[in-house]
Amino acid sequence: MGSPDVDGAPVGRPRETPTGSGENIADEMTTMLAGRFPGLVGMRILEASAAAVTGELAVREELLAPNGYLHAATVVALADTVCGVGARLALPAEASGFTTLELKTNYLGTARSGTVTVAATLIHGGRRTQVWDATVRDEAGMAIALFRCTQLVLYPPAPEKHSSDRSTPNDTEAE
Protein backbone atom coordinates (compact mmCIF):
# COMPACT_ATOMS: atom_id res chain seq x y z
CA MET A 1 0.00 0.00 0.00
CA GLY A 2 2.95 2.35 0.27
CA SER A 3 4.65 4.07 3.11
CA PRO A 4 2.84 6.59 5.31
CA ASP A 5 3.18 10.30 4.65
CA VAL A 6 3.99 12.87 7.35
CA ASP A 7 0.48 12.61 8.83
CA GLY A 8 0.66 8.82 9.06
CA ALA A 9 -1.92 8.45 6.28
CA PRO A 10 -1.25 5.99 3.44
CA VAL A 11 0.41 7.38 0.33
CA GLY A 12 -2.22 8.50 -2.15
CA ARG A 13 -4.89 9.29 0.42
CA PRO A 14 -6.55 12.64 -0.38
CA ARG A 15 -6.13 15.44 2.11
CA GLU A 16 -9.13 17.31 3.44
CA THR A 17 -9.96 20.58 1.70
CA PRO A 18 -9.32 23.49 4.09
CA THR A 19 -12.30 25.64 4.96
CA GLY A 20 -10.56 28.84 6.03
CA SER A 21 -12.10 28.59 9.50
CA GLY A 22 -8.80 28.59 11.38
CA GLU A 23 -6.68 30.97 9.31
CA ASN A 24 -6.47 32.56 5.92
CA ILE A 25 -7.74 30.06 3.30
CA ALA A 26 -4.70 30.71 1.08
CA ASP A 27 -2.34 29.87 3.95
CA GLU A 28 -4.33 26.71 4.70
CA MET A 29 -4.15 25.70 1.03
CA THR A 30 -0.37 26.26 0.99
CA THR A 31 -0.09 24.08 4.11
CA MET A 32 -2.18 21.40 2.37
CA LEU A 33 0.42 21.31 -0.45
CA ALA A 34 3.31 20.64 1.97
CA GLY A 35 4.98 17.26 1.60
CA ARG A 36 3.39 16.63 -1.80
CA PHE A 37 4.82 17.59 -5.19
CA PRO A 38 3.52 21.20 -5.20
CA GLY A 39 4.94 21.86 -1.75
CA LEU A 40 8.23 20.10 -2.49
CA VAL A 41 8.92 22.43 -5.42
CA GLY A 42 7.86 25.48 -3.39
CA MET A 43 4.45 26.47 -4.74
CA ARG A 44 2.49 28.91 -2.61
CA ILE A 45 -1.17 29.91 -2.75
CA LEU A 46 -1.65 33.68 -2.36
CA GLU A 47 -5.43 34.02 -2.67
CA ALA A 48 -8.12 31.37 -3.01
CA SER A 49 -11.85 31.20 -3.62
CA ALA A 50 -14.24 29.01 -5.59
CA ALA A 51 -14.05 31.51 -8.47
CA ALA A 52 -10.37 32.51 -8.62
CA VAL A 53 -7.01 31.45 -7.22
CA THR A 54 -3.54 33.00 -7.40
CA GLY A 55 -0.24 31.37 -6.62
CA GLU A 56 3.50 31.74 -7.04
CA LEU A 57 6.75 29.84 -7.36
CA ALA A 58 10.31 31.10 -6.97
CA VAL A 59 12.46 30.17 -9.96
CA ARG A 60 15.56 28.28 -8.89
CA GLU A 61 18.23 26.08 -10.47
CA GLU A 62 16.41 22.79 -9.80
CA LEU A 63 13.37 23.95 -11.78
CA LEU A 64 15.28 24.84 -14.95
CA ALA A 65 15.59 22.70 -18.06
CA PRO A 66 19.10 21.85 -19.32
CA ASN A 67 18.91 24.93 -21.60
CA GLY A 68 18.83 27.20 -18.53
CA TYR A 69 15.20 28.28 -18.84
CA LEU A 70 12.25 27.42 -16.61
CA HIS A 71 11.19 23.87 -17.45
CA ALA A 72 7.86 23.71 -19.31
CA ALA A 73 6.61 21.04 -16.92
CA THR A 74 7.19 23.42 -14.01
CA VAL A 75 4.88 25.97 -15.65
CA VAL A 76 2.19 23.32 -16.24
CA ALA A 77 2.51 22.02 -12.69
CA LEU A 78 2.10 25.50 -11.22
CA ALA A 79 -0.95 26.32 -13.35
CA ASP A 80 -2.52 22.88 -12.82
CA THR A 81 -2.00 23.05 -9.06
CA VAL A 82 -3.58 26.49 -8.74
CA CYS A 83 -6.54 25.45 -10.92
CA GLY A 84 -6.84 22.28 -8.81
CA VAL A 85 -7.05 24.33 -5.62
CA GLY A 86 -9.89 26.29 -7.18
CA ALA A 87 -11.59 23.12 -8.39
CA ARG A 88 -11.57 21.75 -4.83
CA LEU A 89 -13.18 24.92 -3.52
CA ALA A 90 -15.78 24.98 -6.31
CA LEU A 91 -16.97 21.37 -5.97
CA PRO A 92 -20.70 20.87 -5.47
CA ALA A 93 -21.49 19.82 -1.89
CA GLU A 94 -22.38 16.25 -2.85
CA ALA A 95 -19.22 15.70 -4.97
CA SER A 96 -16.42 13.52 -3.66
CA GLY A 97 -13.58 15.01 -5.70
CA PHE A 98 -12.37 15.72 -9.22
CA THR A 99 -9.83 14.61 -11.78
CA THR A 100 -8.31 16.31 -14.80
CA LEU A 101 -9.89 15.39 -18.13
CA GLU A 102 -7.80 17.66 -20.34
CA LEU A 103 -5.21 20.40 -20.12
CA LYS A 104 -3.54 22.62 -22.67
CA THR A 105 -0.75 25.13 -22.40
CA ASN A 106 0.37 27.77 -24.89
CA TYR A 107 3.87 29.05 -24.10
CA LEU A 108 4.53 32.71 -24.86
CA GLY A 109 7.88 33.13 -23.10
CA THR A 110 9.91 31.80 -20.20
CA ALA A 111 11.79 32.84 -17.07
CA ARG A 112 15.32 32.26 -15.77
CA SER A 113 15.04 33.92 -12.38
CA GLY A 114 12.66 35.73 -10.03
CA THR A 115 9.18 34.57 -9.10
CA VAL A 116 6.52 33.38 -11.50
CA THR A 117 2.89 33.95 -10.60
CA VAL A 118 -0.33 32.45 -11.84
CA ALA A 119 -3.90 33.71 -11.77
CA ALA A 120 -6.64 31.12 -12.40
CA THR A 121 -10.31 31.78 -13.03
CA LEU A 122 -13.29 29.45 -13.11
CA ILE A 123 -14.83 29.73 -16.59
CA HIS A 124 -17.49 27.02 -16.22
CA GLY A 125 -18.66 25.40 -13.00
CA GLY A 126 -21.19 22.71 -13.84
CA ARG A 127 -22.46 19.64 -12.05
CA ARG A 128 -20.23 17.30 -14.07
CA THR A 129 -17.33 19.47 -15.25
CA GLN A 130 -15.37 22.60 -14.44
CA VAL A 131 -13.24 24.61 -16.88
CA TRP A 132 -10.41 26.75 -15.51
CA ASP A 133 -8.21 29.28 -17.34
CA ALA A 134 -4.89 30.47 -15.96
CA THR A 135 -2.19 32.92 -17.01
CA VAL A 136 1.37 32.41 -15.79
CA ARG A 137 3.52 35.56 -15.60
CA ASP A 138 7.18 36.28 -15.02
CA GLU A 139 8.41 38.71 -12.38
CA ALA A 140 8.05 41.65 -14.81
CA GLY A 141 4.38 40.79 -15.31
CA MET A 142 4.78 39.46 -18.85
CA ALA A 143 2.57 36.48 -19.71
CA ILE A 144 4.73 33.40 -20.27
CA ALA A 145 1.93 30.83 -20.62
CA LEU A 146 -1.80 30.52 -21.14
CA PHE A 147 -3.32 27.40 -19.58
CA ARG A 148 -6.77 25.79 -19.70
CA CYS A 149 -7.96 22.63 -17.99
CA THR A 150 -11.20 20.70 -17.81
CA GLN A 151 -11.97 18.88 -14.56
CA LEU A 152 -14.39 15.98 -14.21
CA VAL A 153 -16.42 16.27 -11.02
CA LEU A 154 -16.58 12.92 -9.19
CA TYR A 155 -19.43 11.63 -7.05
CA PRO A 156 -19.62 8.73 -4.59
CA PRO A 157 -20.95 5.54 -6.18
CA ALA A 158 -24.67 4.96 -5.79
CA PRO A 159 -25.50 2.24 -3.29
CA GLU A 160 -26.04 -1.10 -4.98
CA LYS A 161 -29.53 -2.55 -4.87
CA HIS A 162 -30.05 -6.00 -3.42
CA SER A 163 -31.79 -8.58 -5.55
CA SER A 164 -34.80 -8.34 -3.25
CA ASP A 165 -35.08 -4.61 -4.05
CA ARG A 166 -35.39 -5.10 -7.80
CA SER A 167 -38.83 -4.73 -9.24
CA THR A 168 -40.06 -7.75 -11.16
CA PRO A 169 -42.97 -7.74 -13.51
CA ASN A 170 -45.97 -9.59 -12.15
CA ASP A 171 -47.62 -12.36 -14.11
CA THR A 172 -50.47 -10.19 -15.37
CA GLU A 173 -48.08 -7.66 -16.94
CA ALA A 174 -46.33 -10.36 -18.92
CA GLU A 175 -49.57 -11.57 -20.62
Side-chain angles (χ1 to χ4, degrees), residues 15-37:
R15 293 182 174 170
E16 292 295 318
T17 301
T19 61
S21 59
E23 57 183 292
N24 179 306
I25 187 73
D27 292 340
E28 287 186 9
M29 287 295 187
T30 298
T31 299
M32 180 189 70
L33 302 178
R36 300 281 172 98
F37 176 75

Side-chain angles (χ1 to χ4, degrees), residues 98-169:
F98 71 95
T99 191
T100 303
L101 281 176
E102 178 181 39
L103 55 81
K104 179 178 184 351
T105 307
N106 289 34
Y107 295 95
L108 309 173
T110 190
R112 296 180 82 170
S113 63
T115 299
V116 290
T117 58
V118 60
T121 306
L122 178 64
I123 302 301
H124 164 75
R127 178 168 158 64
R128 297 194 184 272
T129 60
Q130 295 181 12
V131 177
W132 287 81
D133 279 352
T135 302
V136 182
R137 298 182 181 279
D138 66 13
E139 196 161 89
M142 297 294 295
I144 63 170
L146 304 176
F147 177 90
R148 173 170 275 192
C149 64
T150 303
Q151 307 293 358
L152 175 66
V153 178
L154 304 173
Y155 292 89
E160 291 190 31
K161 290 186 174 184
H162 292 87
S163 60
S164 62
D165 293 341
R166 292 186 185 139
S167 61
T168 56

Side-chain angles (χ1 to χ4, degrees), residues 42-130:
M43 295 179 195
R44 290 187 47 233
I45 303 301
L46 304 175
E47 295 180 28
S49 74
V53 181
T54 60
E56 69 178 10
L57 177 65
V59 177
R60 58 184 201 278
E61 183 76 24
E62 300 87 356
L63 302 178
L64 302 180
N67 64 4
Y69 292 97
L70 186 60
H71 198 288
T74 304
V75 174
V76 171
L78 176 61
D80 187 50
T81 297
V82 169
C83 289
V85 165
R88 288 177 79 122
L89 294 172
L91 285 174
E94 64 278 9
S96 60
F98 71 95
T99 191
T100 303
L101 281 176
E102 178 181 39
L103 55 81
K104 179 178 184 351
T105 307
N106 289 34
Y107 295 95
L108 309 173
T110 190
R112 296 180 82 170
S113 63
T115 299
V116 290
T117 58
V118 60
T121 306
L122 178 64
I123 302 301
H124 164 75
R127 178 168 158 64
R128 297 194 184 272
T129 60
Q130 295 181 12

